[in-house]
Amino acid sequence: MGAVQDSGVGPRLNSRIEKFRDLSPADRLTAVGDAARLAQADRDALRGGVLPLDLANGMIENVVGTFEIPLGVATNFTINGRDYLIPMAVEEPSVVAAASYMARIARGCGGFETSSTAPIMRAQVQILGLSDPHGARARLLSARDQIIAAANEKDQVLIGLGGGCREIEVQVFEDTAVGPMVVLHLLVDVRDAMGANTVNTMAEAVAPMIERISGGTVRLRILSNLADLRLARARVRLTPKALATKEFTGERMAAGIVEACSLAIVDPYRAATHNKGIMNGIDPVVVATGNDWRAIEAGAHAWAARSGRYTSLSRWEIDAAGNLMGTLEMPMALGMVGGATKTHPAARAALKLLGVTSAQELAEVTVAVGLAQNMAALRALATEGIQRGHMALHARNIAIVAGASGADIDTVARELAADHDVRVDRAREILLRLGKEKA
Ligand code: MEV
């Protein structure tokens, strides 16, 4: 069992909302708002258009406006025996539908199980100008307690919350373009923060002491986005019966998914796309909750290449009983305090919709969504291909591009998908015909 706890928000919500996709956006918002018992202000925030210009102006520089992308909610997720509604901010069609569909299949098999490490982030302090790098390393390691104490002096709030600098590591790079180099790592438990500010402040604070002890010159003082001590894991076990479709047996489906994953394990060209499919699930949750998706992307891909060869983030196997077993373990440096997670009204509301009570729980849920998304892509790729499902949903976009609005969007999209001819000029023809029929 991972870090998931009861949020204490009353009766647990049911993430299975019948015919959710057939509702209007307003009715969907009511359905998820009621399920998660959201206050009106949070429902309004999820509806969008809620980032005031003065707030946006305070968040970044040279602000001229705000930029919106769709916010969907993936249904059906059961994680560690508890249901979750998943907010996903994303521009790509079929992502939210695929996550919900896979979560539904997984739900019938007991859902996802997750776990995670403590939220340990790493700051790096680069030390140059040393003629005895190994001696400097030894001096720094001897001063471990002193360095940790100095780092912890900087953040009493974090210490009060049970976090703080826990350990140091010191590495020697004998041969770099600028001579020998020593790099000291501060390993910091950042609790519910993403942690960048916390560890950067600590790294800067200990720098003078590091110079005194090592005898070198400190240059870089910055966190590492390869958050390999802050891992979240998800797993799912699917029976052949749950995987079977009208066209494919569950055994065929499971074997196809394992074969697809096998290519991603050995071939970086496929691994990049395979992992992109995983990030299709992860990034939208990261964005919706106001977190730093560039940090998550950087950590994910560096982790995927940690052996020296870029590979699949997930693994799919057949267990001894013939079930399909999927696992995903990866860095997940997400926060729930500070930054846009607190300032952006929609991010705050998204966190309430999720009902998570710790950054670790958020990380675990997010990785489960990534695994669901990966399964959706592999399931389609291993059987009918992704274009059939994808084009049916993409057709809505094309209908809008062609000028359709209101109920015409679905009418045009249905016709495009049925004809397997999803093109803007074809959509215009259909619209013209519909116009004439109405006239
Ligand atoms: C498309 O956004 C993602 C996929 O290419 C992922 C994959 O190939 O596994 C479908």
Side-chain angles (χ1 to χ4, degrees):
M1 177 78 180
V4 174
Q5 300 146 18
D6 195 325
S7 69
V9 288
R12 289 185 169 180
L13 64 76
N14 180 358
S15 67
R16 172 107 195 89
I17 304 176
E18 289 295 331
K19 302 212 185 317
F20 188 63
R21 55 180 281 183
D22 299 333
L23 301 177
S24 66
D27 289 343
R28 286 190 202 116
L29 182 56
T30 303
V32 298
D34 289 352
R37 300 167 152 215
L38 292 184
Q40 191 55 46
D42 292 320
R43 296 175 194 225
D44 293 343
L46 291 176
R47 191 178 298 116
V50 290
L51 184 62
L53 207 53
D54 56 347
L55 196 53
N57 197 34
M59 287 170 77
I60 65 163
E61 310 71 42
N62 298 356
V63 166
V64 296
T66 58
F67 182 90
E68 296 202 54
I69 55 171
L71 177 70
V73 175
T75 53
N76 303 326
F77 272 85
T78 303
I79 302 169
N80 300 327
R82 180 185 153 187
D83 275 17
Y84 290 86
L85 288 166
I86 313 286
M88 299 180 83
V90 64
E91 87 301 342
E92 184 173 332
S94 81
V95 165
V96 179
S100 304
Y101 185 53
M102 288 310 129
R104 187 171 166 189
I105 295 177
R107 181 186 184 81
C109 299
F112 297 85
E113 298 286 333
T114 64
S115 68
S116 54
T117 65
I120 305 283
M121 293 297 280
R122 204 187 274 273
Q124 297 192 287
V125 182
Q126 178 198 32
I127 312 156
L128 303 170
L130 291 161
S131 56
D132 63 339
H134 290 280
R137 176 174 183 271
R139 290 191 290 282
L140 288 164
L141 286 172
S142 296
R144 168 193 179 273
D145 294 351
Q146 197 186 335
I147 295 168
I148 291 176
N152 282 335
E153 254 174 42
K154 280 317 282 180
D155 203 332
Q156 289 309 312
V157 176
L158 184 63
I159 306 296
L161 292 168
C165 183
R166 298 271 187 262
E167 195 47 89
I168 65 164
E169 291 173 345
V170 188
Q171 214 180 335
V172 175
F173 294 99
E174 311 241 10
D175 190 20
T176 79
V178 292
M181 205 179 277
V182 172
V183 179
L184 178 135
H185 289 177
L186 297 175
L187 307 185
V188 184
D189 184 329
V190 297
R191 298 282 89 202
D192 283 332
M194 184 275 181
N197 281 333
T198 308
V199 303
N200 291 344
T201 305
M202 284 184 178
E204 291 189 5
V206 299
M209 175 187 278
I210 301 294
E211 289 192 334
R212 269 198 314 279
I213 298 168
S214 66
T217 304
V218 166
R219 284 277 185 272
L220 304 186
R221 295 141 293 163
I222 187 76
L223 95 161
S224 169
N225 285 121
L226 175 51
D228 58 355
L229 295 175
R230 194 177 190 178
L231 301 174
R233 314 173 189 102
R235 65 180 193 279
V236 67
R237 191 183 60 88
L238 302 145
T239 60
K241 189 164 170 247
L243 286 167
T245 63
K246 277 194 204 117
E247 289 162 271
F248 299 97
T249 65
E251 286 77 8
R252 160 73 180 80
M253 189 74 81
I257 290 174
V258 173
E259 287 157 9
C261 187
S262 302
L263 177 58
I265 292 168
V266 297
D267 175 17
Y269 285 97
R270 173 57 204 155
T273 322
H274 177 100
N275 291 343
K276 192 273 182 182
I278 293 172
M279 302 315 286
N280 271 352
I282 288 175
D283 286 341
V285 184
V286 177
V287 173
T289 57
N291 272 286
D292 179 347
W293 74 92
R294 287 89 53 215
I296 296 299
E297 284 281 342
H301 299 295
W303 172 254
R306 69 194 181 285
S307 70
R309 190 174 66 181
Y310 187 85
T311 186
S312 167
L313 287 164
S314 66
R315 291 291 185 273
W316 290 93
E317 311 159 308
I318 312 283
D319 73 9
N323 301 306
L324 178 68
M325 171 64 77
T327 52
L328 175 60
E329 178 182 46
M330 59 188 291
M332 199 45 62
L334 295 178
M336 295 210 350
V337 294
T341 57
K342 273 279 177 269
T343 48
H344 196 300
R348 281 206 313 267
L351 282 169
K352 286 188 193 155
L353 175 64
L354 267 169
V356 290
T357 55
S358 72
Q360 252 178 282
E361 183 182 359
L362 175 61
E364 292 182 19
V365 168
T366 306
V367 171
V369 181
L371 187 59
Q373 205 74 46
N374 182 221
M375 177 181 149
L378 298 190
R379 185 176 175 277
L381 286 168
T383 55
E384 64 186 31
I386 61 155
Q387 284 308 77
R388 193 157 90 187
H390 190 71
M391 281 321 235
L393 294 165
H394 182 56
R396 285 174 53 84
N397 260 348
I398 296 296
I400 294 167
V401 171
S405 59
D408 284 351
I409 297 173
D410 279 333
T411 312
V412 174
R414 260 196 306 274
E415 201 163 319
L416 291 172
D419 295 349
H420 300 288
D421 189 9
V422 185
R423 288 179 298 119
V424 177
D425 52 343
R426 176 78 191 106
R428 287 208 185 99
E429 280 170 24
I430 299 170
L431 265 178
L432 217 61
R433 197 199 68 225
L434 288 176
K436 282 184 191 149
E437 282 169 11
K438 279 184 207 156

